[in-house]
Amino acid sequence: MFQFGVSVNKPQTPWLAMYDIVDNRWYSMNLNFLPLSPMAPFMNFTVVAASGGLLCLWPESQRTYVGLILCNPVTRSWKELPCRSHDNRLPDFVAMHVDLNRGSYKILVITETVVDAHVVVISELYDSASCKWKLVSTQQSFEWKVTSMVVSAGKVYFVCAKEQWFKIAVFDMEEQQWRSSISLPTFFYEMQEKFGAPEILDCNGRLILVGRVGKHPSTEEVMIWELESSVNNIGSWREVDRMPQDISREFLGCQVFGYYYCIGRGDQIFFIASFKAPMLSFDTVKKAWSWWAWPFYEKYADKFPVFGFVKPVPAFPPFGFSFDLRFHLLT
């Protein structure tokens, strides 16, 4: 969890609240080493991506042009990336991949902007090896709305929705180009009625799809699929499991405004319906469902504003993100 924000009279130091799923404990980490501009002493930060022990933050500054900031909260080091060449406003989507073997990282930024009176989507890629941004593509505005995204094995997967149809767009960070889209399981369309697009997750390099399906609220189910292969735009999906009906009724009854949020961590999928509700987890290997203590509201209610949960823009995690502590990056 990342807390930021300022009071009326003085800035508040950003900090992390971290839950260790092995020790079943909460830890906190102060981020008072992050820079504050003399021109904007009340600057806030928003976490837009996390990977391999690094956080990518957007500084909400009064400056017109500002670069993304990377930091390692363990070594308390940070760096400001150079301004992007085309449009340096708050990006619509940010994805980061850290290559632990090379000790390098890449950041994909997608921004919808206006060029010559036309709305276009600009994709830019930052490579730490060259310390430069590269324009990847400029294309017409998305006809499909991006509802979820994840980075897995150096590729960025976007779930895109158009009315009741969905596809998965793929960007290869290593090849620096867009790949063919992947179709969703046909079963999803057979059972889909009015519920929203599925969530896409990474579980130890496996691409996982979590979808809520059903013709009626009384018969709805949460299903989990794994992508086995993708050939000629056709995704070969394997059903992993379905949320048991008794657990489903209890969990879905905790939702605020009908939404839930998923986080992939190792072999686990964590389901969060609201700050006050218990957290549900699913072990994709053992096929086991279990409830987890979620002491967030009681422990951090004085630090974090607690609002009703609204489905987020994919670039900004609403409840949190999977994160590794590492010493050797960005020292």
Side-chain angles (χ1 to χ4, degrees), residues 68 70 79-84 95 97 105-109 124-136 173 176:
L68 293 169
L70 286 185
K79 68 178 294 185
E80 182 177 354
L81 300 185
C83 291
R84 308 195 305 277
H97 172 64
Y105 51 86
K106 292 183 174 69
I107 300 175
L108 175 68
V109 169
E124 295 180 274
L125 188 70
Y126 179 84
D127 191 338
S128 64
S130 63
C131 298
K132 293 181 180 179
W133 289 97
K134 176 183 178 181
L135 177 63
V136 176
M173 284 190 164
Q176 301 185 14

Side-chain angles (χ1 to χ4, degrees), residues 51-54 72 97-106 128 154 265 324-330:
S51 176
L54 296 181
N72 185 330
H97 172 64
V98 173
D99 189 324
L100 297 175
N101 295 324
R102 300 177 182 176
S104 61
Y105 51 86
K106 292 183 174 69
S128 64
R265 179 71 173 125
D324 293 307
L325 300 179
R326 298 188 183 276
F327 288 90
H328 65 285
L329 290 172
L330 201 69

Side-chain angles (χ1 to χ4, degrees), residues 236-277:
S236 176
W237 296 91
R238 175 180 65 88
E239 182 179 332
V240 178
D241 204 352
R242 305 187 187 192
M243 187 181 293
Q245 290 188 354
D246 55 337
I247 296 178
S248 178
R249 284 192 295 268
E250 184 175 355
F251 174 75
L252 296 178
C254 297
Q255 294 175 111
V256 179
F257 302 122
Y259 293 121
Y260 60 84
Y261 183 66
C262 301
I263 300 174
R265 179 71 173 125
D267 292 323
Q268 301 276 346
I269 300 175
F270 294 93
F271 297 81
I272 304 170
S274 72
F275 283 113
K276 297 183 180 181

Side-chain angles (χ1 to χ4, degrees), residues 9-316:
N9 299 318
K10 63 178 181 179
Q12 296 178 354
T13 301
W15 61 289
L16 293 173
M18 299 176 292
Y19 182 66
D20 190 317
I21 62 176
V22 177
D23 294 342
N24 193 26
R25 288 184 55 191
W26 281 94
Y27 298 88
S28 61
M29 182 174 290
N30 193 303
L31 302 182
N32 58 5
F33 62 90
L34 290 175
L36 288 178
S37 169
M39 300 299 294
F42 301 103
M43 182 167 61
N44 294 337
F45 295 90
T46 300
V47 174
V48 292
S51 176
L54 296 181
L55 294 178
C56 182
L57 304 101
W58 174 264
E60 300 176 18
S61 172
Q62 296 175 356
R63 290 181 293 167
T64 303
Y65 297 100
V66 65
L68 293 169
I69 287 180
L70 286 185
C71 80
N72 185 330
V74 177
T75 61
R76 300 177 67 81
S77 55
W78 64 274
K79 68 178 294 185
E80 182 177 354
L81 300 185
C83 291
R84 308 195 305 277
S85 56
H86 287 77
D87 192 329
N88 215 57
R89 298 176 304 167
L90 175 65
D92 293 287
F93 306 103
V94 180
M96 178 168 63
H97 172 64
V98 173
D99 189 324
L100 297 175
N101 295 324
R102 300 177 182 176
S104 61
Y105 51 86
K106 292 183 174 69
I107 300 175
L108 175 68
V109 169
I110 298 177
T111 309
E112 191 173 68
T113 187
V114 177
V115 177
D116 297 330
H118 297 285
V119 179
V120 297
V121 175
I122 294 177
S123 303
E124 295 180 274
L125 188 70
Y126 179 84
D127 191 338
S128 64
S130 63
C131 298
K132 293 181 180 179
W133 289 97
K134 176 183 178 181
L135 177 63
V136 176
S137 65
T138 300
Q139 52 190 321
Q140 292 183 346
S141 179
F142 286 140
E143 295 182 1
W144 298 66
K145 178 183 177 183
V146 176
T147 61
S148 176
M149 74 174 192
V150 73
V151 180
S152 179
K155 296 181 176 64
V156 191
Y157 296 87
F158 301 87
V159 175
C160 305
K162 186 177 182 181
E163 296 178 349
Q164 289 298 315
W165 295 95
F166 306 97
K167 67 178 181 180
I168 299 177
V170 185
F171 180 82
D172 191 320
M173 284 190 164
E174 187 66 29
E175 300 295 331
Q176 301 185 14
Q177 62 181 350
W178 291 93
R179 294 292 188 182
S180 299
S181 298
I182 302 172
S183 61
L184 264 66
T186 55
F187 184 80
F188 185 81
Y189 295 106
E190 295 170 359
M191 295 295 294
Q192 181 74 3
E193 182 66 23
K194 65 175 182 178
F195 302 121
E199 298 271 357
I200 192 164
L201 307 170
D202 173 79
C203 290
N204 274 341
R206 299 152 57 205
L207 201 65
I208 301 293
L209 200 66
V210 179
R212 180 181 172 187
V213 300
K215 297 290 185 179
H216 189 271
S218 62
T219 60
E220 63 185 303
E221 293 182 285
V222 175
M223 300 183 63
I224 301 173
W225 297 273
E226 178 181 349
L227 181 65
E228 293 186 314
S229 65
S230 176
V231 180
N232 298 328
N233 300 358
I234 300 176
S236 176
W237 296 91
R238 175 180 65 88
E239 182 179 332
V240 178
D241 204 352
R242 305 187 187 192
M243 187 181 293
Q245 290 188 354
D246 55 337
I247 296 178
S248 178
R249 284 192 295 268
E250 184 175 355
F251 174 75
L252 296 178
C254 297
Q255 294 175 111
V256 179
F257 302 122
Y259 293 121
Y260 60 84
Y261 183 66
C262 301
I263 300 174
R265 179 71 173 125
D267 292 323
Q268 301 276 346
I269 300 175
F270 294 93
F271 297 81
I272 304 170
S274 72
F275 283 113
K276 297 183 180 181
M279 179 170 58
L280 178 65
S281 73
F282 173 68
D283 191 311
T284 59
V285 175
K286 299 179 181 179
K287 308 290 183 65
W289 296 85
S290 59
W291 294 99
W292 286 62
W294 183 240
F296 179 79
Y297 180 73
E298 293 79 4
K299 189 176 181 66
Y300 293 107
D302 60 330
K303 297 289 187 181
F304 286 76
V306 179
F307 303 110
F309 176 48
V310 179
K311 191 70 172 180
V313 175
F316 313 112

